[in-house]
């Protein structure tokens, strides 16, 4: 039996909630389950507003509209990220300024941000890779000193913290993803927009409701609703919210389950690290992570290819990750790399992710560890 790289989180209670949503008279967005999910996040994150969206991509697109990105605006971010981090802002006309990463975390190197800031810089998008926090104090300090928005792409970061603060609750905005590859899912696709400044809440509700003031209408704040600004359809349906709510009710045990697997990997593979054969993940002391990912770094791309092939031969699916955006056709067209690419390309070619998902069997974990030892 092949060990998949990922298996979507499923605990069982999703069935009851989804069925009850199906049998209710309200299938479209912002019904009972959506409200329950949003209230859960607002309490947990202590944010001004949490809005469910169809995806993290959609939440990022909402942010680009909210901060009024215009042609010529520059947005700083790492090149080592998923396309949506950049694409959402390019859709509104932004130029992307890629900054090199810190090889220990694969996150944007906070010390390189200041020199990338120009008169056109409108925002910094940080990516908490593998659910491991960026150096947020330094980043917030540069941003506040220069009147620049900070958006946390915490698509992988639900349940992780930076100095005890939830990821996504530190910048002006944060986004989570509930895609099936993430720690929690709303049934395959889904996301969350986290708003940490009260001034954006009303506009966000309008953008999410096709550019209408429908949310205010439902609260009785206006007596009819109408088209008031730019917007689109950024609400997931109730079935997605119901699916997600079941997982929020068990958020802590899902997180603990993943962490046990992650820590088993770390302990077992530490011997390899001592032999200097490989590098393991580095978790800064300011971060508590969510075991979203377990990766190793090998010597180079050739060794990595051999490693992936060897594991596949033994029915284990291991995968590499992002092709740096600045080397992609669209990345070249819509962005530029600031400074030198010292680590982004080099480190991305060494990195390989091994299977980790909710409820992995002990025998699966042991087989993977043994196979990795055999490879070396
Ligand atoms: C998964 C992911 C996204 C996209 O999430 P969707 O919900 O699929 O849109 C964006 N950024 C990062 C860093 C991701 O890992």
């Amino acid at each position: 039996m092949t060990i998949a790289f990922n298996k979507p989180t499923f605990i069982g209670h999703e069935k009851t909630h989804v069925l009850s949503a199906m049998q209710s008279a309200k299938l479209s967005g912002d019904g009972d389950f959506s409200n329950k999910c949003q209230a859960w996040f607002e309490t947990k994150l202590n944010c001004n507003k949490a809005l469910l969206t169809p995806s993290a991509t959609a939440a990022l697109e909402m942010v680009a509209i909210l901060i009024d990105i215009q042609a010529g605006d520059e947005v700083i971010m790492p090149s080592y990220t998923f396309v949506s981090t950049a694409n959402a802002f390019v859709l509104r006309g932004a130029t992307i300024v890629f900054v090199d990463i810190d090889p220990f975390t694969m996150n944007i190197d906070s010390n390189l941000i200041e020199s990338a800031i120009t008169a056109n810089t409108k925002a910094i998008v940080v990516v908490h890779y593998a659910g491991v926090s960026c150096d947020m104090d330094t980043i917030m300090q540069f941003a506040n000193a220069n009147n620049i928005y900070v958006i946390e792409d915490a698509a992988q970061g639900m349940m992780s913290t930076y100095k005890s603060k939830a990821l996504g609750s530190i910048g002006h905005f944060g986004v989570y993803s509930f895609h099936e590859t993430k720690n929690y899912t709303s049934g395959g696709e889904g996301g969350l927009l986290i708003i940490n400044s009260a001034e954006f809440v009303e506009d966000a509700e309008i953008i999410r409701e096709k550019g209408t003031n429908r949310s205010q209408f439902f609260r009785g704040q206006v007596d009819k609703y109408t088209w008031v600004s730019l917007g689109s359809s950024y609400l997931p349906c109730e079935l997605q919210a119901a699916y997600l709510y079941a997982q929020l009710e068990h958020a802590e045990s899902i997180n603990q389950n993943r962490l046990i697997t992650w820590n088993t990997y770390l302990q077992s593979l530490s011997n390899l690290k001592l032999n200097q054969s490989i590098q393991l993940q580095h978790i800064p002391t300011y971060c508590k992570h969510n075991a979203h990912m377990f990766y190793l770094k090998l010597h180079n791309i050739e060794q990595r290819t051999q490693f992936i092939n060897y594991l596949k031969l033994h029915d284990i699916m291991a995968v590499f990750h992002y092709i740096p955006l600045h080397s992609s056709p669209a990345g070249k067209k819509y962005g530029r790399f600031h400074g030198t690419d010292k680590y982004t390309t080099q480190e991305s070619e060494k990195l390989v992710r091994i299977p980790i998902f909710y409820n992995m069997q002990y025998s699966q974990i042991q087989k993977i560890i043994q196979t990795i030892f055999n490879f070396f």
Side-chain angles (χ1 to χ4, degrees):
M1 267 274 283
T2 299
I3 304 176
F5 170 67
N6 176 63
K7 246 175 79 180
T9 302
F10 183 73
I11 53 168
H13 300 283
E14 294 90 344
K15 291 182 196 168
T16 335
H17 285 347
V18 171
L19 190 64
S20 114
M22 285 167 74
Q23 289 166 340
S24 76
K26 170 88 174 152
L27 291 175
S28 64
D30 281 351
D32 283 349
F33 280 110
S34 295
N35 292 336
K36 277 184 181 163
C37 290
Q38 292 177 177
W40 190 92
F41 284 111
E42 282 162 16
T43 306
K44 176 105 184 150
L45 302 173
N46 198 21
C47 58
N48 284 94
K49 195 82 199 167
L51 295 169
L52 291 180
T53 58
S55 61
T57 302
L60 288 164
E61 288 177 19
M62 286 183 67
V63 172
I65 300 172
L66 273 167
I67 63 172
D68 195 26
I69 292 285
Q70 304 282 325
D73 287 343
E74 292 178 357
V75 179
I76 295 172
M77 66 182 66
S79 168
Y80 188 69
T81 183
F82 188 61
V83 290
S84 296
T85 317
N87 192 72
F89 297 89
V90 170
L91 272 173
R92 314 290 324 154
T95 299
I96 307 301
V97 178
F98 297 113
V99 168
D100 209 8
I101 51 172
D102 171 351
F104 291 106
T105 58
M106 304 301 279
N107 287 335
I108 194 165
D109 184 339
S110 53
N111 296 312
L112 298 176
I113 291 177
E114 196 171 26
S115 71
I117 294 173
T118 72
N120 296 323
T121 308
K122 188 97 183 235
I124 302 168
V125 189
V126 300
V127 180
H128 302 297
Y129 185 69
V132 174
S133 162
C134 296
D135 175 15
M136 290 311 291
D137 282 348
T138 310
I139 292 164
M140 294 311 292
Q141 196 184 316
F142 290 142
N144 289 332
N146 292 280
N147 266 317
I148 294 167
Y149 295 113
V150 173
I151 299 112
E152 297 178 72
D153 182 341
Q156 304 169 11
M158 180 174 153
M159 301 300 276
S160 293
T161 58
Y162 168 80
K163 297 186 178 175
S164 305
K165 277 183 250 170
L167 299 193
S169 73
I170 304 157
H172 299 87
F173 303 94
V175 310
Y176 286 173
S177 170
F178 308 125
H179 185 263
E180 66 175 20
T181 52
K182 303 305 199 291
N183 293 19
Y184 303 86
T185 182
S186 48
E189 302 278 355
L192 186 79
L193 171 61
I194 301 154
I195 303 173
N196 301 314
S197 0
E199 56 181 310
F200 289 107
V201 172
E202 198 174 296
D203 285 352
E205 287 177 336
I206 290 169
I207 291 165
R208 185 163 166 268
E209 275 282 16
K210 299 93 184 163
T212 73
N213 55 0
R214 194 160 179 262
S215 298
Q216 292 168 314
F217 172 73
F218 279 123
R219 285 195 295 262
Q221 290 164 333
V222 291
D223 57 10
K224 59 178 187 288
Y225 80 87
T226 183
W227 185 21
V228 291
S229 82
L230 279 187
S232 188
S233 184
Y234 288 125
L235 285 83
C237 75
E238 274 293 286
L239 304 193
Q240 288 166 286
Y243 201 104
L244 178 65
Y245 193 64
Q247 301 195 357
L248 298 185
E249 289 178 311
H250 295 84
E252 204 52 61
S253 61
I254 292 169
N255 197 43
Q256 288 308 320
N257 179 284
R258 295 186 76 106
L259 280 164
I260 289 170
T261 300
W262 197 96
N263 286 321
T264 306
Y265 275 146
L266 186 73
Q267 273 160 23
S268 308
L269 297 176
S270 290
N271 289 332
L272 285 177
K273 187 184 167 183
L274 287 178
N275 297 339
Q276 300 225 321
S277 302
I278 56 167
Q279 276 174 270
L280 298 179
Q281 248 165 297
H282 171 85
I283 313 292
T285 50
Y286 53 63
C287 172
K288 274 210 173 66
H289 72 104
N290 61 358
H292 172 63
M293 188 187 291
F294 195 96
Y295 68 76
L296 339 170
K297 283 195 201 160
L298 306 188
H299 293 304
N300 51 41
I301 199 166
E302 289 78 24
Q303 191 192 26
R304 182 181 72 179
T305 307
Q306 288 166 6
F307 181 87
I308 291 172
N309 291 343
Y310 184 84
L311 262 59
K312 194 169 180 194
L313 201 67
H314 294 85
D315 299 317
I316 298 164
M317 303 309 288
V319 290
F320 56 84
H321 214 181
Y322 308 127
I323 308 292
L325 295 183
H326 74 284
S327 57
S328 70
K332 284 180 187 154
K333 187 168 172 192
Y334 300 114
R336 62 181 158 80
F337 198 95
H338 173 82
T340 42
D341 170 11
K342 197 166 167 200
Y343 293 116
T344 302
T345 301
Q346 176 191 301
E347 297 302 304
S348 73
E349 291 182 346
K350 296 178 184 173
L351 187 146
V352 58
R353 300 174 289 159
I354 61 176
I356 187 164
F357 45 83
Y358 174 69
N359 247 356
M360 260 182 99
Q361 300 306 300
Y362 188 71
S363 58
Q364 293 179 310
I365 301 167
Q366 291 310 317
K367 179 184 169 177
I368 292 166
I369 291 166
Q370 191 53 54
T371 309
I372 292 174
F373 272 97
N374 292 348
F375 173 81
F376 286 102

